Amino acid sequence: MSLFLASFGFGLVTAAVLAIAAVGFTMQFAVTDVLNLAFGAVMIASAFVAYALNQAGVNVWIGLLAAAAAGAAGSVLLNQGIYTPFQRRGSAPITMVIVSLGMTLIIEFGLQAIVGGTNVSYTMSQGPTVRAGGLVLTAVQFVIIGLAIVVMAAVHGLLRYTKLGKAMRATSANRSLARNCGIRTGRIVTVTWAITGALCGIAGTVFAINNGSFGATSADLFLVVILAAVFLGGPGSAYGAMLGAVIIGLATEISAAYITPSYKDVIAFAILLIMMVLRPGGLLGAAVS
Amino acid sequence: MTSAQLYYLLNLLIYAGIDIIACLGLSQQFGVAGVTNFGFIIFQAAGAYTAAILSLPNDSANGGFQSYLAGWNLPFPVPWIGAAIVGGLVALPFTFVVGRRLRGDFAAVGLLVTAVMFNLLVTNYRPFLNGAAGLSLVPAPLQGEYDPSGAGYQWAYAAIALVLAAGAYLLVRRVTESPYGRSLRAMRDNDLVADSLGKNLLAQRTSVLVLGGALAGLSGGILVGYITTWAPGAWGYAETIVLFAAVIIGGAGSHRGAVLGAILVPVGFEEATRYIPSTFGPPGFVDDLQWVAIGLLVVIFLWFRPQGVLPERRRIIGATAVPSNTPNEDVVSLAGPLHASRGAATAGSALPAADPAPRATASPAAADGGAVLRTVDLARDFGGVHAVAGVSIEVHRGTLTGLIGPNGAGKSTLLGMLAGTIPVTSGQVIYQGRDVTGLPAYRRARLGLVRTFQLASEFKRLTVMENLLSAVPSHRGDSLAGALRGRRCWRRDEEAAIARARVLLERFGLSSYADTYGGDLSGGQRRLTEIMRVLMTEPAMLLLDEPMAGVHPRLARQIGAQLLDLCAEGMTILMVEHELAIMDEFCDPVIMMAEGTVLATGTMTDLRARAEVVEAYLVG
């Protein structure tokens, strides 16, 4: 199998993990206007919930569901307990970002104080090697890609065809107008945190599965890759985040194969910075003047 | 005191000096200028690496176990000077991120990403700065002449660190307390408005990045000379949060707060936890809790005391003003006293004192058929919406021209394009016979074409007096160079400006509010402050966006009368207003817009007689 196809396959897997996370992050931002930098911390905390169950003998894919629930609960709690009170006070977006960084430290290192500083792995089988369309990946990697496709389809269905999705888009476009139109924006925001929190939990677990081993601070770097995908697609745009995830996933893995793996994340960051300077609205967003 | 205790104490003093310098740099950026630099630690790292490779011998020394650039073995204090210079230079590319019209939180994320990226690059590329292992065996300053482990040397090192910290304190105070510092704070409170008043945001942000970067670089140089080693692990992005915690807890924008924060957080807090026995909990447990506590401190302080322990102090300038209890209702005419003060203020310049609108020289305007401002097919699209679609208007000298139209007619967009705050899609703006279409807002403001905003736009954490002073054009203290040269350089300009501001405050009946924060004013007082502030720019032409919105009708009439007086003195005003009664009374001619185009121009009486105008207003 050629180097290109191999790296393309890995790129798809990375893109799949990234897409789930990036869509969650960008929807959080769209509806609540918080750049929640604690997203990575919640991801890993959820992955550890799955790990605890896994250690108790539960299958990791059932653990994934528990992680989704934990991510949803944690995110709703984070919003209700911290972000909403600050926003009610009229805190500036930049204050919210600093608060979310503070929360990152609290969650990550609080977790590390509990689970310790060494990396852990799930007990699971990678499954047989599967060949499909010239790609050679493990069954688990195919499951991750499949899972991402299902999640993306579900998000698309939610945003396009449900009343809830419509209300979320309305809240995102103009919260006070949406409220005046009879949309219970407080509830929409909470539901959004629950949904995106579930995505965050799923993303954390598949990230941990895909990484092989993980620790409390493993998502630090990945958070920046998520930001790259989000900003590439246009902050707040779910479809943009999907596109950004595919581009960043492929770009990092293919460059890792052809240049050197040490710099694969640097590629993602460079793309992010170039986008911020040239087109801060992202590929699918309006060019912000 | 045992010698171990003495060494420990000196160690604390040295760290205090280093952290104070770094926190002062960050406070200048974040607290004073509002630039949230999440990449701040890079500047310290750059300074530390620079000092290291300037003082280290060639990398073949010590058996060649580490590889790095330079290795010039330069004597003290060259490495420290180099550290400060490189710290400042490294800041320059960052301007691309913060100088753009990027949301503050987006720019902050961009800087955070840059910090992570630099750390990755340095970690992975070994030939540059020895990769993840970092540099070690960095020579301490003057270690050939003195013994770095001696108590005398340690005393001297601590003394030098603290003297440099004191120097940094005086430097940032000199900048912040100058008119330039006031402009930085104005930018922090509302950058769009600062831009419209003639502040060059890019230059201002660059200068604070470079100044803060140089201080951070210096702190890195002092640090590496003391600990003699420097590696990527020492400057993770989280270290920036420690410094942010220090600045927020101490009091962002307050220099004494930065000093206190440096002593409380990086020095005091981290040292205090050292006394928790390491046998407490599993390995790394105490370190983890320390990070949790830093996070908690940031969140708790932002909630309970966002201004910090030692808040930025209020600058009292106007308290000694002429005692005046003139209520707003008694505002009469601006013409007399204001005119006199303008003459006085411009007497020092080359322009004749009698000219009421100093920069509106007659000749270019005359060359343009008497139009001070003219547009040619001006258009602006937002996505697919033609907000303004081919507008050609002329505004003549000395007129109070009205601009009316239903909501969504494109009035505010047009005003924004005239002022340069909204980019033009196509067409031209000709001001005093000169094509200014490509000029940014601050350059147009400096030519005397200044706007106000529809929404209240006071600088919230500047007093009313400071709001006024912030608008003074070509103030000698309003540049980094002027600020560094000190009060002697700009005191005269400042006094003249204060005198002018007092006259305006008197006329508008706000003298007793001179030392009130802009954010604490009532709606009507904010509008008045905005109008006074724009008059401080000595404009030739004013672009007013609903200056009477939310103002008591009686006060609105008085503002209108004052605007007419200004026009009689030669000023030109284009005013957006919804209140037709105001238009009837004060504006002539009136331009009527609808759906992005000009529907009609004429006196209000003319317009009322035209069916399509009435229809547009009724339908719209």
Side-chain angles (χ1 to χ4, degrees):
Chain A
M1 192 180 66
S2 75
L3 181 63
F4 179 78
L5 270 181
S7 58
F8 186 79
F10 280 118
L12 282 185
V13 180
T14 305
V17 178
L18 197 48
I20 301 172
V23 167
F25 184 97
T26 211
M27 281 167 65
Q28 246 168 37
F29 173 68
V31 176
T32 65
D33 208 31
V34 180
L35 275 178
N36 175 23
L37 296 185
F39 193 87
V42 176
M43 266 176 68
I44 282 296
S46 308
F48 267 98
V49 170
Y51 176 74
L53 288 174
N54 186 239
Q55 285 302 95
V58 179
N59 184 294
V60 75
W61 299 107
I62 295 169
L64 176 89
L65 295 179
S75 297
V76 169
L77 220 68
L78 183 63
N79 180 54
Q80 300 283 4
I82 307 289
Y83 295 151
T84 302
F86 270 101
Q87 281 190 315
R88 274 215 193 102
R89 259 197 191 179
S91 296
I94 193 65
T95 309
M96 301 307 298
V97 173
I98 298 173
V99 168
S100 78
L101 263 183
M103 291 312 297
T104 306
L105 291 187
I106 295 170
I107 297 169
E108 270 189 12
F109 288 96
L111 183 66
Q112 185 158 297
I114 298 165
V115 302
T118 45
N119 278 10
V120 297
S121 306
Y122 293 131
T123 310
M124 65 182 296
S125 152
Q126 287 297 315
T129 304
V130 182
R131 290 165 190 279
L135 300 178
V136 183
L137 295 170
T138 65
V140 166
Q141 287 175 316
F142 271 110
V143 170
I144 292 175
I145 295 175
L147 188 65
I149 293 171
V150 170
V151 167
M152 295 307 111
V155 167
H156 172 69
L158 171 74
L159 290 179
R160 282 294 138 195
Y161 303 113
T162 67
K163 214 173 161 186
L164 173 64
K166 209 173 183 180
M168 283 166 72
R169 286 189 286 138
T171 308
S172 155
N174 189 332
R175 195 190 287 200
S176 58
L177 187 61
R179 198 190 343 258
N180 290 337
C181 292
I183 296 172
R184 299 170 74 169
T185 52
R187 177 175 294 187
I188 297 298
V189 166
T190 304
V191 170
T192 304
W193 278 91
I195 293 172
T196 56
L199 292 180
C200 177
I202 295 171
T205 311
V206 292
F207 168 75
I209 292 173
N210 190 42
N211 247 20
S213 74
F214 62 102
T217 56
S218 292
D220 277 359
L221 219 52
F222 193 65
L223 175 74
V224 183
V225 184
I226 296 172
L227 289 171
V230 166
F231 274 85
L232 181 59
S237 154
Y239 301 103
M242 296 177 195
L243 180 68
V246 172
I247 295 174
I248 298 274
L250 291 177
T252 51
E253 293 301 336
I254 292 174
S255 70
Y258 284 92
I259 308 171
T260 152
S262 317
Y263 300 122
K264 68 174 192 179
D265 293 320
V266 174
I267 302 281
F269 303 165
I271 292 175
L272 171 54
L273 286 179
I274 292 167
M275 283 306 290
M276 277 191 159
V277 171
L278 296 185
R279 198 176 158 84
L283 287 177
L284 296 190
V288 178
S289 61
Chain B
M1 193 187 285
T2 68
S3 80
Q5 281 171 326
L6 176 69
Y7 273 97
Y8 179 60
L9 180 73
L10 289 172
N11 169 65
L12 287 189
L13 286 178
I14 293 167
Y15 272 110
I18 292 164
D19 288 323
I20 286 170
I21 295 172
C23 285
L24 285 170
L26 182 61
S27 179
Q28 182 78 7
Q29 294 180 349
F30 171 63
V32 176
V35 177
T36 311
N37 185 358
F38 280 157
F40 189 73
I41 203 70
I42 301 179
F43 303 107
Q44 193 180 47
Y49 277 122
T50 305
I53 59 175
L54 289 182
S55 52
L56 274 165
N58 186 285
D59 66 357
S60 58
N62 299 318
F65 78 98
Q66 43 185 2
S67 54
Y68 44 82
L69 300 174
W72 289 336
N73 214 354
L74 292 171
F76 179 80
V78 178
W80 286 14
I81 296 169
I85 292 173
V86 170
L89 287 181
V90 165
L92 286 177
F94 279 64
T95 319
F96 286 109
V97 178
V98 299
R100 293 255 150 189
R101 286 182 182 180
L102 203 55
R103 271 177 63 151
D105 50 346
F106 286 14
V109 167
L111 292 168
L112 178 70
V113 168
T114 314
V116 176
M117 185 166 87
F118 269 84
N119 198 295
L120 262 184
L121 279 173
V122 172
T123 305
N124 286 317
Y125 188 65
R126 188 164 173 272
F128 183 35
L129 294 161
N130 206 37
L135 302 171
S136 49
L137 299 179
V138 178
L142 303 175
Q143 70 173 18
E145 282 94 303
Y146 306 95
D147 171 20
S149 58
Y153 185 89
Q154 300 273 317
W155 272 113
Y157 208 99
I160 291 171
L162 291 175
V163 165
L164 287 173
Y169 182 88
L170 295 177
L171 175 73
V172 293
R173 199 180 63 171
R174 181 168 256 210
V175 172
T176 310
E177 300 309 316
S178 72
Y180 190 61
R182 189 163 57 218
S183 295
L184 295 177
R185 289 184 293 125
M187 172 173 74
R188 169 195 71 192
D189 285 1
N190 195 330
D191 56 353
L192 197 61
V193 174
D195 184 34
S196 77
L197 289 172
K199 307 296 172 201
N200 184 345
L201 302 182
L202 186 63
Q204 289 191 0
R205 289 195 173 123
T206 305
S207 78
V208 290
L209 276 178
V210 171
L211 184 66
L215 288 175
L218 176 65
S219 76
I222 303 172
L223 182 57
V224 81
Y226 182 61
I227 60 177
T228 70
T229 162
W230 192 249
W235 51 285
Y237 79 95
E239 302 293 334
T240 306
I241 309 180
V242 175
L243 294 178
F244 263 93
V247 168
I248 288 168
I249 290 165
S254 146
H255 305 315
R256 286 184 305 149
V259 173
L260 179 71
I263 292 169
L264 285 181
V265 183
V267 181
F269 183 75
E270 300 207 355
E271 288 305 318
T273 51
R274 205 177 280 244
Y275 295 98
I276 301 170
S278 57
T279 50
F280 181 72
F285 186 68
V286 172
D287 286 345
D288 292 340
L289 289 189
Q290 199 168 320
W291 283 113
V292 171
I294 294 272
L296 279 173
L297 277 175
V298 169
V299 175
I300 289 171
F301 258 84
L302 284 177
W303 180 256
F304 288 105
R305 201 172 163 83
Q307 73 275 36
V309 177
L310 297 173
E312 181 181 75
R313 66 181 182 79
R314 176 164 34 185
R315 277 79 173 174
I316 306 286
I317 301 171
T320 54
V322 206
S324 164
N325 297 316
T326 324
N328 293 344
E329 283 75 14
D330 291 345
V331 180
V332 202
S333 163
L334 271 178
L338 179 66
H339 189 142
S341 79
R342 288 172 152 265
T346 49
S349 71
L351 294 155
D355 189 340
R359 277 167 296 170
T361 42
S363 47
D368 208 26
V372 176
L373 186 76
R374 187 161 70 81
T375 69
V376 184
D377 272 332
L378 205 57
R380 169 70 194 180
D381 298 345
F382 290 108
V385 182
H386 305 294
V388 172
V391 165
S392 300
I393 56 166
E394 282 187 2
V395 182
H396 292 270
R397 163 176 308 286
T399 60
L400 176 48
T401 304
L403 182 58
I404 58 169
N407 288 330
K411 307 180 298 290
S412 291
T413 307
L414 176 62
L415 210 66
M417 286 194 289
L418 296 178
T421 44
I422 296 177
V424 168
T425 303
S426 66
Q428 282 177 302
V429 180
I430 316 284
Y431 170 67
Q432 292 186 346
R434 176 179 173 187
D435 187 348
V436 296
T437 318
L439 289 187
Y442 77 92
R443 298 263 314 266
R444 294 189 207 187
R446 290 176 186 183
L447 292 172
L449 178 63
V450 196
R451 73 165 293 179
T452 64
F453 289 82
Q454 193 173 348
L455 299 169
S457 64
E458 73 290 344
F459 299 127
K460 285 192 171 54
R461 286 192 286 158
L462 264 58
T463 64
V464 171
M465 175 58 95
E466 284 185 300
N467 263 280
L468 264 57
L469 295 179
S470 70
V472 173
S474 52
H475 191 310
R476 248 189 262 176
D478 194 7
S479 69
L480 186 57
L484 290 176
R485 283 166 66 189
R487 187 176 292 272
R488 253 187 313 178
C489 156
W490 47 262
R491 197 178 57 210
R492 195 177 291 250
D493 279 7
E494 183 79 350
E495 281 165 359
I498 291 173
R500 279 180 58 212
R502 284 197 177 135
V503 173
L504 273 176
L505 285 166
E506 177 91 358
R507 286 302 108 202
F508 280 82
L510 282 181
S511 288
S512 51
Y513 291 92
D515 293 322
T516 306
Y517 275 129
D520 295 340
L521 296 175
S522 75
Q525 289 166 339
R526 287 176 199 205
R527 310 265 20 165
L528 289 177
T529 301
E530 194 181 358
I531 292 170
M532 288 189 288
R533 187 177 62 194
V534 80
L535 290 175
M536 288 294 286
T537 66
E538 297 172 37
M541 174 159 186
L542 283 181
L543 303 164
L544 304 179
D545 199 352
E546 297 188 35
M548 286 100 156
V551 174
H552 189 277
R554 207 170 143 201
L555 180 57
R557 305 276 295 279
Q558 280 156 357
I559 294 176
Q562 288 167 9
L563 295 179
L564 276 184
D565 286 341
L566 288 169
C567 289
E569 292 171 32
M571 192 173 309
T572 313
I573 301 176
L574 177 65
M575 176 170 83
V576 174
E577 187 54 59
H578 274 298
E579 194 56 60
L580 292 183
I582 296 280
M583 287 285 165
D584 281 325
E585 189 169 347
F586 300 106
C587 295
D588 180 27
V590 172
I591 298 167
M592 162 84 196
M593 281 184 78
E595 290 170 10
T597 56
V598 173
L599 215 55
T601 305
T603 65
M604 274 309 284
T605 326
D606 294 342
L607 293 183
R608 281 183 193 282
R610 297 174 64 162
E612 75 267 28
V613 174
V614 176
E615 191 182 337
Y617 237 135
L618 289 176
V619 174

